[in-house]
Amino acid sequence: MPQVISDPAELRSVLAGRGRVGFVPTMGYLHEGHATLIAQARAECDLLVVSIFVNPLQFGAGEDLNKYPRDLPRDLGVAGGAGADLLFTPSVDLMYPDGFATRVTVSGVSEGLDGASRPGHFTGVATVVLKLLNLVRPDRVYLGEKDWQQLAVLRRMVRDLNVNVDVIGVPTVRATSGLALSSRNAYLTAPQQARAAVLHRALRAVQERYAAGETQVQALQQAGLDVVASDDAVELDYLSIVGAGMQPLDSVEPLGVQAAERDRNDRTEADNRNMTRVLLAARMFGVRLIDNLPLVTAPQVEQGQA
Amino acid sequence: MPQVISDPAELRSVLAGRGRVGFVPTMGYLHEGHATLIAQARAECDLLVVSIFVNPLQFGAGEDLNKYPRDLPRDLGVAGGAGADLLFTPSVDLMYPDGFATRVTVSGVSEGLDGASRPGHFTGVATVVLKLLNLVRPDRVYLGEKDWQQLAVLRRMVRDLNVNVDVIGVPTVRATSGLALSSRNAYLTAPQQARAAVLHRALRAVQERYAAGETQVQALQQAGLDVVASDDAVELDYLSIVGAGMQPLDSVEPLGVQAAERDRNDRTEADNRNMTRVLLAARMFGVRLIDNLPLVTAPQVEQGQA
């Protein structure tokens, strides 16, 4: 008679037995944000893999696939300096051979915000990240919080498909000006990058209005929109306040209630702080930029689960 | 400096190091066909997992989800007798918790035949099998050739998503009458099962016409349709001759040319024999039955790749 198991964790423990493998998937042109991801993974894992793959499937028609910045020698230096053991650099032909026909779609969390502005984008992201997870088989995957909706989509995918990996979100690294680090910042001159910090100031304005007691989303968003309107280089796509499922909110809980919620639901404080978030996307000087912040300023520490 | 790897096989060899795990996913109510799968897996693997999960996601509205036959004690006996080490029996709530939002779709190969008759069916199959593969993480997964299109869809998915598993197709086991074994045969009385063998005779008639030199698909199909028409209990859904990608064919290569193709393309004889296949689906006595055969009668041996 075989042993009957209905609990996946038990199943895994029967089948498991390796050291901890960490994984940082990237599209290359690594910056300090990536280095932070890599360094955190280095500290927590036995073997650390960084991938560089500019994924055609997540770029729409007219987007910047062909001009996306690439510099492998530089990336080797950044990844190695931050502690990567392996750099995985698959070719497009290898990732998408003739006859490739499979897609991973995540409904709900992928549908608004960037999902609305970039049709098919998150399907491309989910599909390639699942492929990479299957190739690398890491115990932990590290993803930047700058791409907050992407992080939510991938958490959902990992949970839904029982991918045996912990998803670790790592806080956004910023320039002194507040501008979120991004490979796409390379498209901007230094003065343009300084101007682009207006996006971070807009998010901060929302935080400040919330800290002052405002709970109506429309008023909170207006605080951000006022800052955005101060610079006519900003072509705003969206500035939205959303919950953990990326759903639009009408109002948010005041700080005191959030604390009560935390106690009632046994959430960690960090979970709680990150639940409600302000996200924006805008085009400046021809470059699409995204950023986001939690409604309260605090050290953000969080940890996913498979 | 990290080591740079662009070849997934190399990546895997760096990360690997376990015994061979075999996996047989089923919906339970195990019969001799399953026992054959399990016995083959037993002979080839160190640890053998059989799952039983009646997957709601692959049943359409009005299909037989609720009445699908279930008998866990009996299944334990069959699986254990055939050599299974573990029986994995996840609950529906565990497989599809609240908020479940992810689907795996495979275009092309999943679109005709059963894919046309059962919308969403293969998305449900691909999604649950990927989940099970992620939970079990086998080295080899064994699937019956009775569900030929399903096998093709899952081969495509495994290849496209870089799932690290070998897909092994195992030939259909038949009753003495020729009827393909299936859990759904339990819906039929013994006399009805005897009548249902007409479906196998129809497939055999196509084989025989091909062996006699016919290469036009319409004429080959007619040979099968003539047999089907001999029993008015058959409500035929389709009888189709398709290639490896499940694409409909107008004509097929004669036997001699198939041999030449084999030499030219370095295929194995078994690959070649299995490339062109006649598939049918029909309802008899209220039960939907499917079956298929290669165009030539021969021992069928094949092996997939991840």
Side-chain angles (χ1 to χ4, degrees):
Chain A
M1 286 293 174
Q3 182 185 354
V4 177
I5 297 179
S6 55
D7 173 35
E10 187 184 351
L11 180 72
R12 262 179 224 149
S13 75
V14 170
L15 301 175
R18 293 174 308 152
R20 183 183 285 171
V21 177
F23 178 43
V24 179
T26 81
M27 298 210 299
Y29 215 74
L30 304 179
H31 50 65
E32 271 304 305
H34 296 108
T36 302
L37 286 168
I38 294 167
Q40 181 173 336
R42 169 73 289 159
E44 297 175 1
C45 299
D46 301 314
L47 176 67
L48 178 50
V49 181
V50 173
S51 70
I52 297 182
F53 181 63
V54 181
N55 174 35
L57 210 60
Q58 74 189 68
F59 287 78
E63 291 187 352
D64 57 345
L65 171 61
N66 290 327
K67 67 168 185 170
Y68 198 86
R70 291 165 166 88
D71 189 342
L72 184 60
R74 184 172 163 280
D75 288 344
L76 264 172
V78 174
D85 295 309
L86 295 177
L87 213 61
F88 180 49
T89 58
S91 68
V92 172
D93 286 349
L94 188 142
M95 292 293 274
Y96 301 117
D98 279 352
F100 184 87
T102 303
R103 295 290 186 281
V104 178
T105 57
V106 181
S107 56
V109 70
S110 75
E111 288 167 9
L113 308 169
D114 265 34
S117 300
R118 307 182 67 186
H121 171 65
F122 286 121
T123 290
V125 169
T127 302
V128 79
V129 170
L130 185 63
K131 285 169 63 70
L132 291 168
L133 290 173
N134 284 337
L135 288 165
V136 176
R137 298 191 137 194
D139 298 284
R140 294 186 169 198
V141 60
Y142 294 80
L143 299 165
E145 288 187 352
K146 182 180 72 77
D147 300 290
W148 184 255
Q149 188 178 14
Q150 169 177 284
L151 180 58
V153 169
L154 294 176
R155 280 192 196 286
R156 183 80 257 167
M157 177 192 79
V158 160
R159 190 170 306 194
D160 285 354
L161 295 180
N162 307 98
V163 184
N164 190 13
V165 68
D166 288 329
V167 179
I168 315 290
V170 179
T172 303
V173 177
R174 301 178 179 282
T176 312
S177 67
L179 177 66
L181 297 195
S182 164
S183 305
R184 288 191 169 93
N185 293 352
Y187 298 141
L188 303 176
T189 64
Q192 287 172 337
Q193 291 188 20
R195 284 278 287 280
V198 68
L199 302 178
H200 177 246
R201 289 199 304 276
L203 298 174
R204 286 292 303 257
V206 175
Q207 273 189 338
E208 285 158 17
R209 188 72 59 94
Y210 176 70
E214 181 60 61
T215 60
Q216 290 305 302
V217 160
Q218 197 170 8
L220 289 166
Q221 288 176 336
Q222 194 57 52
L225 294 174
D226 290 345
V227 174
V228 162
S230 72
D231 190 329
D232 60 12
V234 182
E235 304 164 56
L236 189 69
D237 180 1
Y238 60 80
L239 186 155
S240 299
I241 294 172
V242 298
M246 300 300 107
Q247 75 280 17
L249 303 171
D250 290 329
S251 63
V252 296
E253 302 291 351
L255 279 166
V257 173
Q258 288 212 358
E261 281 280 320
R262 175 188 73 221
D263 298 338
R264 195 167 66 227
N265 295 334
D266 196 28
R267 296 196 196 100
T268 67
E269 190 164 3
D271 284 342
N272 223 358
R273 283 190 179 121
N274 282 295
M275 274 177 49
T276 305
R277 202 105 182 166
V278 53
L279 281 69
L280 65 71
R283 188 169 287 272
M284 291 188 74
F285 312 107
V287 180
R288 192 170 190 279
L289 300 169
I290 62 175
D291 199 357
N292 69 88
L293 283 177
L295 275 203
V296 291
T297 52
Q300 299 152 41
V301 181
E302 70 171 41
Q303 186 158 328
Q305 52 181 327
Chain B
M1 286 291 175
Q3 181 184 353
V4 176
I5 297 179
S6 56
D7 173 35
E10 186 184 353
L11 180 72
R12 262 180 224 149
S13 76
V14 169
L15 301 176
R18 293 173 309 152
R20 183 183 285 170
V21 177
F23 178 44
V24 180
T26 82
M27 297 211 299
Y29 215 74
L30 304 179
H31 51 64
E32 271 303 305
H34 296 109
T36 301
L37 286 168
I38 295 167
Q40 180 173 336
R42 169 74 289 159
E44 297 177 0
C45 300
D46 301 314
L47 176 67
L48 178 51
V49 181
V50 174
S51 69
I52 297 182
F53 181 64
V54 181
N55 174 36
L57 209 60
Q58 74 189 67
F59 287 78
E63 291 188 352
D64 57 345
L65 171 62
N66 290 327
K67 68 168 184 170
Y68 197 87
R70 291 164 166 88
D71 188 343
L72 184 60
R74 183 172 164 282
D75 287 345
L76 264 172
V78 174
D85 295 307
L86 295 176
L87 213 61
F88 180 50
T89 58
S91 68
V92 172
D93 286 349
L94 187 140
M95 292 292 275
Y96 301 117
D98 280 352
F100 184 87
T102 303
R103 296 290 186 282
V104 178
T105 57
V106 181
S107 56
V109 70
S110 74
E111 287 167 10
L113 308 169
D114 265 34
S117 300
R118 307 181 67 187
H121 171 65
F122 286 121
T123 290
V125 169
T127 302
V128 79
V129 171
L130 184 63
K131 285 169 63 69
L132 290 167
L133 291 173
N134 284 337
L135 288 165
V136 176
R137 297 191 137 192
D139 298 284
R140 293 186 169 198
V141 60
Y142 295 80
L143 299 164
E145 290 187 351
K146 183 181 72 75
D147 302 289
W148 184 255
Q149 188 178 11
Q150 169 177 284
L151 181 58
V153 169
L154 294 176
R155 280 192 196 286
R156 183 80 256 167
M157 177 193 78
V158 160
R159 191 170 305 193
D160 285 355
L161 295 181
N162 307 99
V163 184
N164 191 13
V165 68
D166 287 330
V167 179
I168 316 290
V170 179
T172 303
V173 178
R174 299 178 181 284
T176 312
S177 67
L179 178 65
L181 297 194
S182 165
S183 305
R184 288 190 169 93
N185 294 350
Y187 298 141
L188 303 175
T189 65
Q192 288 172 337
Q193 291 187 20
R195 284 276 289 280
V198 68
L199 301 179
H200 177 246
R201 289 199 303 277
L203 298 175
R204 287 292 303 254
V206 175
Q207 273 188 337
E208 285 159 17
R209 188 72 60 95
Y210 176 71
E214 180 61 62
T215 59
Q216 290 305 300
V217 160
Q218 197 171 8
L220 289 167
Q221 288 175 338
Q222 193 58 52
L225 294 174
D226 290 345
V227 175
V228 163
S230 71
D231 189 331
D232 59 12
V234 181
E235 304 164 56
L236 188 69
D237 180 2
Y238 60 79
L239 186 154
S240 299
I241 294 172
V242 298
M246 301 298 109
Q247 74 281 17
L249 303 172
D250 290 329
S251 64
V252 297
E253 302 292 351
L255 279 166
V257 173
Q258 287 213 357
E261 281 280 321
R262 176 189 71 222
D263 298 338
R264 195 167 66 225
N265 295 334
D266 197 28
R267 296 194 196 102
T268 67
E269 190 164 2
D271 284 341
N272 224 355
R273 283 191 179 119
N274 282 296
M275 273 177 51
T276 305
R277 202 107 183 166
V278 52
L279 282 68
L280 65 71
R283 186 169 289 271
M284 291 188 75
F285 312 107
V287 180
R288 192 170 191 278
L289 300 169
I290 62 174
D291 199 358
N292 69 89
L293 283 177
L295 275 203
V296 291
T297 53
Q300 298 153 41
V301 182
E302 70 170 41
Q303 186 159 328
Q305 52 183 325

